[in-house]
Amino acid sequence: MKLRIFTEPQQGATYDDLLAVAQAAERLGFDAFFRSDHYQRIGEGDPGPGSTDAWITLAGLARETSRIRLGTLVTPATFRLPGPLAISVAQVDHMSGGRVELGFGTGWYDGEHSAYGIPFPPMAERFGRFEEQLEIITGLWTAEKSYSFEGSYYRLADSPALPKPAQRPRPPVIIGGFGAKRTPRLAATYADEYNVPFRTLADTGEAFARVREACETTGRTVRLSAAQTTVVGADRAEVERRAAAIGENPDTLPAGGLCGTPAEVVEKIGRFAELGAERVYLQILDLGDLEHLELIAAEVLPHV
């Protein structure tokens, strides 16, 4: 089991905040540092300095870390055209020495689209565009010569399909979500990893089963993972303090998160492993509490 740190900087975090967390995560032995890709705070509250651009952030972190893997959970297909996104990710992959992973999704938060002038088509069109982007991005990375594509939403004519990423044949692609039909098919067709975010163990197991079934059709194998809001404390008082700091109830959070003492969290991570998860993304919302990471690294990481 690999443990990955997952942050939500749209809730109010500077690049320096993220750098401190990424470097601490690397020093403490976590497998990866991931961030969301949003341009506006979700929900009410102080926006702080606002959000930062995901791929610009990861480009910077690529040069200021050396081992930890870097990625998004997840980049919306609505934010960027597929050709330029393929170029950006390939470049960051080179800047990191081949440590990048692309978490990719349809986009869902209409508020940030209207706030920044980003088109937000209906869901059916978003899925259509998403599938074409998946084919284009992976096609550009793996094409041996020029690349062309003719779809309902995008057309590429004799693209040089450059630059190539450092990882060959391409960086891993992660598709997340809980959809019952389109998501499993797309994950089984294009993804290297399928992620279930913020669900109960039972719901996560059902989602994994749907993707396994879809993989029987495509003949591919997809790594399985989960993302969970994480609050760990040495004792009940510390759990309550950390939960309060992020606006969570420690009595209800365990249903869809990892909340409790290190032993309790290790036990639940083990249950995700029994379902087939190979990675768990620990959503850390209080980015100023680096002692939280230190506790998890010391008391949870060695036991999973």
Side-chain angles (χ1 to χ4, degrees):
M1 174 68 74
K2 301 290 187 181
L3 297 187
R4 298 182 149 195
I5 299 302
F6 170 43
T7 62
E8 301 273 8
Q10 78 279 352
Q11 302 305 94
T14 65
Y15 173 76
D16 287 339
D17 295 329
L18 297 172
L19 174 62
V21 175
Q23 290 182 330
E26 180 168 78
R27 172 175 54 82
L28 293 168
F30 291 97
D31 180 60
F33 172 89
F34 271 60
R35 60 156 292 163
S36 59
D37 193 349
H38 286 291
Y39 286 132
Q40 182 175 310
R41 180 183 176 89
I42 299 171
E44 297 182 355
D46 182 1
S51 190
T52 48
D53 183 87
W55 286 100
I56 291 177
T57 295
L58 294 176
L61 295 178
R63 308 302 288 180
E64 299 195 78
T65 58
S66 60
R67 177 196 61 79
I68 202 164
R69 296 190 67 79
L70 304 166
T72 53
L73 206 64
V74 296
T75 286
T78 51
F79 280 9
R80 301 167 181 87
L81 295 171
L85 178 59
I87 290 171
S88 295
V89 178
Q91 184 175 0
V92 178
D93 197 42
H94 273 282
M95 294 170 71
S96 69
R99 293 183 284 128
V100 158
E101 303 184 15
L102 171 62
F104 202 35
T106 60
W108 64 271
Y109 184 29
D110 56 348
E112 65 188 336
H113 291 76
S114 60
Y116 287 98
I118 304 169
F120 188 69
M123 181 177 291
E125 181 178 336
R126 295 204 308 275
F127 263 97
R129 290 181 177 273
F130 177 48
E131 182 163 9
E132 288 191 13
Q133 288 207 25
L134 282 164
E135 184 170 347
I136 291 166
I137 291 168
T138 56
L140 287 169
W141 286 341
T142 57
E144 295 182 0
K145 297 180 181 179
S146 64
Y147 177 81
S148 297
F149 177 86
E150 186 77 44
S152 298
Y153 302 103
Y154 303 102
R155 180 178 183 271
L156 284 72
D158 298 320
S159 170
L162 297 171
K164 296 301 187 193
Q167 297 175 85
R168 305 300 293 154
R170 59 176 174 78
V173 173
I174 304 166
I175 292 178
F178 199 69
K181 296 180 180 179
R182 289 173 293 192
T183 298
R185 178 179 62 81
L186 293 176
T189 303
Y190 296 102
D192 302 283
E193 178 179 333
Y194 170 63
N195 179 267
V196 179
F198 316 122
R199 297 286 178 164
T200 65
L201 283 159
D203 288 345
T204 300
E206 291 174 6
F208 284 174
R210 289 192 291 267
V211 168
R212 288 191 182 101
E213 183 178 359
C215 285
E216 292 178 1
T217 301
T218 61
R220 300 180 68 250
T221 300
V222 176
R223 180 180 289 112
L224 303 173
S225 65
Q228 295 273 288
T229 303
T230 302
V231 174
V232 185
D235 51 33
R236 176 68 181 184
E238 193 166 82
V239 171
E240 291 178 347
R241 174 177 64 79
R242 288 201 164 109
I246 62 171
E248 290 284 355
N249 184 334
D251 295 322
T252 58
L253 178 58
L258 299 171
C259 181
T261 63
E264 291 169 332
V265 169
V266 167
E267 189 274 335
K268 188 167 184 182
I269 291 174
R271 295 173 70 187
F272 278 107
E274 291 171 359
L275 294 175
E278 297 180 44
R279 295 169 175 169
V280 173
Y281 293 77
L282 309 180
Q283 185 198 46
I284 303 297
L285 295 176
D286 185 354
L287 300 185
D289 185 4
L290 297 184
E291 291 181 358
H292 193 195
L293 297 185
E294 293 171 359
L295 175 65
I296 297 169
E299 303 295 336
V300 177
L301 188 57
H303 304 290
V304 300

